[in-house]
């Protein structure tokens, strides 16, 4: 085999090795064919949705009326208010406070006008009506013909059918009992009947990982009853690292496998890798495995047949990116000792606040209003999320999926091509003082900022002064306020969301706040926030690449089983695969195989593709017949 330094370089020998037939078996229990992707339905027509959009207030001489009477904004921006007294009045007038949650929303540093708010009022009333119908069980995801019910998870009585209420309540009761029995040691790992589970390994991707990761980072105690690790990708090195970190504790690790369909390739691959590790350690995976999936899915049936330790349902009407308050997020949180009832209570209280139809009193609507103003309702600027608290580091990653997968759509609900979106990125303060704040303050003006502030620095009685009158937390506070002021002085707009403390209740409220803001904003711009055709297109394309790889392997195997071995050029491989149009992808497949010692380069190098002749390092006789 080629050494690392010789990857994609000529191999000195053409003699193939014969692989025994027994080595040909593959784990295919959870295998799933690629998902077909229905072509989106573009319909001709102007982007009428945006013909009525309201521009910012500008001087009369810079504006003109279009055919519909809407203002057309000149390239010159309206100058933001800078007078301190006027800004204080604006701050007081627009400050939102939720006393019970200890949550504040400051939108005073976004420059929307009273006229803009008035012009947007009809759209907001339509959005509120749409959200009301959604919560009553309307088909809010028309492309997939599904209800959207993540709000029912924290208030089951609002579910439109009694059977759904019972399903939600029973699931919560079951996972609370199960997690309690695991934490107390009543449910024990089979390899250690006198011991207890010490680790959780969560296998899932996208919404099945980002929410649980965010909550674990934000809320897990310093010494949790079970520590948690995540396999959230199909990167072999990453998987190996997580398993290696468990070491001997693999025997006391509870493995949670999360996949709505049960056929998500990355999750399936992670499961198979973990099962292999269990076999090699002489452990019975089924006695330590938990499935969270739709009833009767491929994963559910596998877990039932193999007798896994437990199974919990995912519901058809809950999407992955809004599943944190389902079993997906609640079970991992409960196993870490996080009070999930408080998370649900915080979400419920925020939902109640977001049902008011007065924009000024509705925090989610205020966020949507600011997003629309800052981005012209077209995603023209990015949203930079800066939580000034280490424990909220992953909030920006969580919001990245929630917002971008929901808002990033090619077509609106009327079939017009609109290419909507709202880009989200961020890290944490004050780390960003030494990273990209320089560009935010002085560079290209293509963003607005969302600051996340936590008012309490440490638990009561634990603070101390670094110098007279100044604590460590005071420096963090100063950095946030200073950055906000510095950005605004250069016409950079910002929103500030403040919570008193990072608690299960406040985290539940933040999740609910942004879930609702996304739904309202989607209504304002007339798109379906609850499907993800672009993701499905990527999955389909990945499936096609793997199918082509199988054809390449078949062709190379046939040539490698000849005496003497027949090295093939890329053109020859493409012709024998009947895919000359895919020669670039065939080259990439062969280069990847060569880098992993699964193909040998007989002549040439991958740096000069036309020179390459390739064969396999072994002959699979059984595959010939």
């Amino acid at each position: 085999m080629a050494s690392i330094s010789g990857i994609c370089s000529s191999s000195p020998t053409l003699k193939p090795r014969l692989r025994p037939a027994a080595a040909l078996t593959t784990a295919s229990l959870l295998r799933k064919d690629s998902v077909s992707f229905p072509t989106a339905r573009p319909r001709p027509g102007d982007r009428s949705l945006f013909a009525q959009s309201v521009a910012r207030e500008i001087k009369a001489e810079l504006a003109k009326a279009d055919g519909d009477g809407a203002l057309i904004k000149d390239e010159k921006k309206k100058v933001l208010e800078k007078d301190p007294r006027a800004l204080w009045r604006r701050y007081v007038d627009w400050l939102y406070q939720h006393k019970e949650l200890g949550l504040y929303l400051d939108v005073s540093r976004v420059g929307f006008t009273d006229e803009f708010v008035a012009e947007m009022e009809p759209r907001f009333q339509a959005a509120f009506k749409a959200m009301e119908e959604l919560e009553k069980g309307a088909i809010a995801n028309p492309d997939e013909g599904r209800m959207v019910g993540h709000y029912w998870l924290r208030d089951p009585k609002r579910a439109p059918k009694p059977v759904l209420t019972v399903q939600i309540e029973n699931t919560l009761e079951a996972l609370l009992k199960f997690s309690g029995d695991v934490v107390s040691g009543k449910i024990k790992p089979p390899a250690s009947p006198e011991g207890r589970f010490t680790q959780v390994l969560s296998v899932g991707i996208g919404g099945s990982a980002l929410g649980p990761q965010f909550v674990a980072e934000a809320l897990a105690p310093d010494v949790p009853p079970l520590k948690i690790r995540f396999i959230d990708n199909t990167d072999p090195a990453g998987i190996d690292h997580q398993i290696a970190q468990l070491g001997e504790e693999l025997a006391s690790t509870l493995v949670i496998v999360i996949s709505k369909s049960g056929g998500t390739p990355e999750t399936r691959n992670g499961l198979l890798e973990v099962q292999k590790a269990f076999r090699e350690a002489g452990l019975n995976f089924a006695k330590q495995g938990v499935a969270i999936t739709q009833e009767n899915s491929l994963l559910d049936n596998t877990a039932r047949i193999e007798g896994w330790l437990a199974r919990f349902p995912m519901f058809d009407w809950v999407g992955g990116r809004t599943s944190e308050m389902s079993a997906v997020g609640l079970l991992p949180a409960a196993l870490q000792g996080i009070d999930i009832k408080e998370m649900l209570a915080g979400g419920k209280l925020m939902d109640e606040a977001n049902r008011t139809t007065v924009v000024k009193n509705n925090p989610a609507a205020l966020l949507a209003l600011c997003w629309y103003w800052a981005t012209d309702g077209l995603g023209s600027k990015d949203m930079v999320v800066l939580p000034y608290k280490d424990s909220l580091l992953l909030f920006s990653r969580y919001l990245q999926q929630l917002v971008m997968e929901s808002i990033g759509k090619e077509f609106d609900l009327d079939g017009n091509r609109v290419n909507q979106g709202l880009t989200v990125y961020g890290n944490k303060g004050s780390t960003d003082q030494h990273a990209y704040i320089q560009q935010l303050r002085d560079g290209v003006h293509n963003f607005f900022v969302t600051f996340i502030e936590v008012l309490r620095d440490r638990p009561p009685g634990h603070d101390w002064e670094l110098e007279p009158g100044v604590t460590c937390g005071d420096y963090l506070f100063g950095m946030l306020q200073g950055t906000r002021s510095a950005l605004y002085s250069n016409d950079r707009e910002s929103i500030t969301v403040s919570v008193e403390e990072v608690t299960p209740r406040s985290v539940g409220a933040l999740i609910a706040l942004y879930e609702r803001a996304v739904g309202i904003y989607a209504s304002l711009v007339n798109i379906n926030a609850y499907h993800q055709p672009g993701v499905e297109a990527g999955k389909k394309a990945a499936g096609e690449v793997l199918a082509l790889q199988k054809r390449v392997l078949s062709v190379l195997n046939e040539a490698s089983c000849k005496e003497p071995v027949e090295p093939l050029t890329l053109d020859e491989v493409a012709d024998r695969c009947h895919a000359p149009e895919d020669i670039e992808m065939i080259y990439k497949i062969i280069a990847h195989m060569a880098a992993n010692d699964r193909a040998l380069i007989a002549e040439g190098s991958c740096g000069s593709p036309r020179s390459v002749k390739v064969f396999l390092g072994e002959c699979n006789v059984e595959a010939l017949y």
Side-chain angles (χ1 to χ4, degrees), residues 311-366:
R311 291 151 43 222
F312 295 96
M314 291 181 74
F315 303 116
D316 176 70
W317 35 266
V318 176
R321 56 188 174 275
T322 56
S323 65
E324 176 54 31
M325 295 200 201
S326 72
V328 169
L330 296 181
L331 179 60
L335 290 166
Q336 295 170 83
I338 296 168
D339 189 340
I340 61 175
K341 287 186 175 180
E342 275 293 286
M343 277 182 61
L344 292 167
K348 181 179 179 180
L349 285 169
M350 180 53 68
D351 288 340
E352 291 170 355
N354 287 327
R355 290 191 183 103
T356 179
T357 59
V358 179
V359 172
K360 202 168 186 177
N361 298 332
N362 183 318
L366 286 173

Side-chain angles (χ1 to χ4, degrees), residues 164-193:
L164 298 180
T165 299
V166 171
Q167 286 177 340
I168 297 166
E169 291 175 339
N170 287 350
T171 300
L172 178 60
E173 182 181 349
L175 72 84
L176 280 168
K177 182 179 186 308
F178 177 79
S179 60
D181 288 347
V182 169
V183 169
S184 69
K186 185 176 180 180
I187 295 178
K188 302 178 184 295
S192 179

Side-chain angles (χ1 to χ4, degrees), residues 361-397:
N361 298 332
N362 183 318
L366 286 173
L367 285 179
L369 176 75
C370 293
W371 296 354
Y372 197 104
W373 168 268
T375 72
D376 305 311
L378 296 168
S380 59
K381 288 187 178 179
D382 303 340
M383 178 163 67
V384 182
V385 179
L386 297 178
Y388 275 67
K389 199 70 171 179
D390 285 3
S391 62
L392 298 180
L393 168 66
L394 297 183
F395 192 45
S396 59
R397 284 185 61 198

Side-chain angles (χ1 to χ4, degrees), residues 30-38 261-266 268 298 535-548 550-551:
L30 294 181
R31 190 154 136 203
K32 183 179 179 185
D33 294 330
S34 61
V35 181
S36 61
F37 171 54
S261 67
T264 305
E266 296 93 336
R268 184 208 65 160
L298 203 57
V535 176
E536 300 306 324
K539 291 179 182 178
K540 179 176 182 288
E544 291 169 352
V545 171
L546 295 176
L548 178 60
K550 291 179 181 179
R551 287 153 61 195

